[in-house]
Amino acid sequence: MYKTNTANRNPYFDIVKGLGILFVFWGNSMLYGSLTFRAIFYFHMPLFFLVSGICFKVDEIRSLPGLLSKIGKNLVVPLIYFSLIGLILLALRGQIPKLPHNPTEIESFYVSVVHDQGIGMIPAWFLTCLAVVQFCYCLFYKLIQRLRLERYIFPLIVCAFVLSCQITHVDAFLKHVVPIKLLSVPVAFCYFAFGQLGKNLLRKLESPDVGAAVLILFSVVLYVATIGIACISTVTPNLAVPVYPAWWMLLIGSACGIGATFAL
């Protein structure tokens, strides 16, 4: 998620990212709306945003140009690269929207580009969303420091999470006006912030005090709990669309799945 010296890397986070990538492939290979699909989609993308928050060193950001340079090198350059690949693949499949020839076609062109089978739905949405999230979090963090409200960060993020989950109920008109990647930012921002807040607790991963068998059992229990949440949910969560179930179901389901992956 960011560049760092190899000596300072925590291998557990690399393993977690690897497991997350496996879940991405597994989840997207399943039938949309199936139980396995719903269970994996409860936590696989929240996992990436949370790990990104853990790895991001906000205290090293000293200026706005430094922040923009960091985001540009680590996220924007890969975004351009993968977007070009995505555009080429879409062009080969004949899915690139035709340019509008008159003012009445502009709205339909915009909607198809950012929402349907066009540019907005290529896998690079994650990099776009993460770039915006990192920028917003740095501004938020600096503001909290200036106002000396550090002790209230956790309740603020929880409240923001509850409100962000209501994006599913946003009027359809707004979803046609705001690029779909940006609609994912509020919830992604909260998972990123949870990662920032929990990074000190997760340092214990470097020397776990329990045996492997206990961790595996704990992982299985949490994965079963995630499946249980998916069973009672009538909504398939999807950060890319975005569509969310009730906030408490998303919070519990994602927490169980993320916790199970870390334990594994």
Side-chain angles (χ1 to χ4, degrees), residues 131-169:
V132 177
V133 165
Q134 287 187 357
F135 181 82
C136 293
Y137 184 82
C138 285
L139 297 183
F140 168 77
Y141 183 76
K142 298 302 181 183
L143 178 62
I144 289 296
Q145 281 189 322
R146 177 165 295 186
L147 298 177
R148 299 181 180 179
L149 297 175
E150 290 90 343
R151 69 178 67 181
Y152 302 110
I153 288 184
F154 182 74
L156 285 173
I157 297 302
V158 172
C159 292
F161 181 84
V162 174
L163 294 175
S164 298
C165 287
Q166 305 307 311
I167 199 74
T168 298
H169 307 295

Side-chain angles (χ1 to χ4, degrees), residues 54-109:
I54 293 173
C55 296
F56 189 75
K57 297 182 180 180
V58 67
D59 293 323
E60 293 183 355
I61 305 299
R62 304 299 181 188
S63 63
L64 181 59
L67 171 62
L68 295 176
S69 175
K70 183 182 182 72
I71 293 176
K73 289 187 292 186
N74 294 350
L75 296 175
V76 176
V77 172
L79 170 62
I80 295 173
Y81 175 77
F82 286 112
S83 294
L84 290 175
I85 293 178
L87 285 172
I88 292 172
L89 293 176
L90 288 173
L92 292 174
R93 297 170 59 183
Q95 294 181 332
I96 295 294
K98 296 181 180 180
L99 294 175
H101 298 289
N102 57 70
T104 60
E105 297 178 353
I106 294 178
E107 181 181 359
S108 60
F109 171 78

Side-chain angles (χ1 to χ4, degrees), residues 37-241:
F37 183 95
R38 293 202 309 273
I40 292 176
F41 268 64
Y42 256 100
F43 70 89
H44 76 312
M45 292 314 300
L47 172 67
F48 280 111
F49 285 109
L50 184 133
V51 173
S52 298
I54 293 173
C55 296
F56 189 75
K57 297 182 180 180
V58 67
D59 293 323
E60 293 183 355
I61 305 299
R62 304 299 181 188
S63 63
L64 181 59
L67 171 62
L68 295 176
S69 175
K70 183 182 182 72
I71 293 176
K73 289 187 292 186
N74 294 350
L75 296 175
V76 176
V77 172
L79 170 62
I80 295 173
Y81 175 77
F82 286 112
S83 294
L84 290 175
I85 293 178
L87 285 172
I88 292 172
L89 293 176
L90 288 173
L92 292 174
R93 297 170 59 183
Q95 294 181 332
I96 295 294
K98 296 181 180 180
L99 294 175
H101 298 289
N102 57 70
T104 60
E105 297 178 353
I106 294 178
E107 181 181 359
S108 60
F109 171 78
Y110 175 78
V111 172
S112 64
V113 167
V114 300
H115 292 282
D116 298 333
Q117 298 300 319
I119 301 169
M121 294 304 290
I122 63 177
W125 78 267
F126 170 74
L127 293 174
T128 304
C129 186
L130 183 58
V132 177
V133 165
Q134 287 187 357
F135 181 82
C136 293
Y137 184 82
C138 285
L139 297 183
F140 168 77
Y141 183 76
K142 298 302 181 183
L143 178 62
I144 289 296
Q145 281 189 322
R146 177 165 295 186
L147 298 177
R148 299 181 180 179
L149 297 175
E150 290 90 343
R151 69 178 67 181
Y152 302 110
I153 288 184
F154 182 74
L156 285 173
I157 297 302
V158 172
C159 292
F161 181 84
V162 174
L163 294 175
S164 298
C165 287
Q166 305 307 311
I167 199 74
T168 298
H169 307 295
V170 170
D171 185 83
F173 173 77
L174 180 60
K175 290 188 176 182
H176 286 305
V177 173
V178 180
I180 198 167
K181 299 185 188 72
L182 298 184
L183 290 175
S184 305
V185 167
V187 168
F189 174 91
C190 294
Y191 282 111
F192 186 90
F194 286 142
Q196 279 280 304
L197 296 175
K199 64 169 57 179
N200 293 329
L201 296 176
L202 292 174
R203 287 176 182 172
K204 295 183 178 181
L205 286 173
E206 297 177 357
S207 55
D209 298 327
V210 296
V214 175
L215 287 174
I216 292 175
L217 178 61
F218 183 63
S219 176
V220 170
V221 170
L222 288 180
Y223 279 132
V224 171
T226 305
I227 295 173
I229 291 292
C231 286
I232 64 176
S233 174
T234 58
V235 177
T236 299
N238 193 336
L239 262 69
V241 173

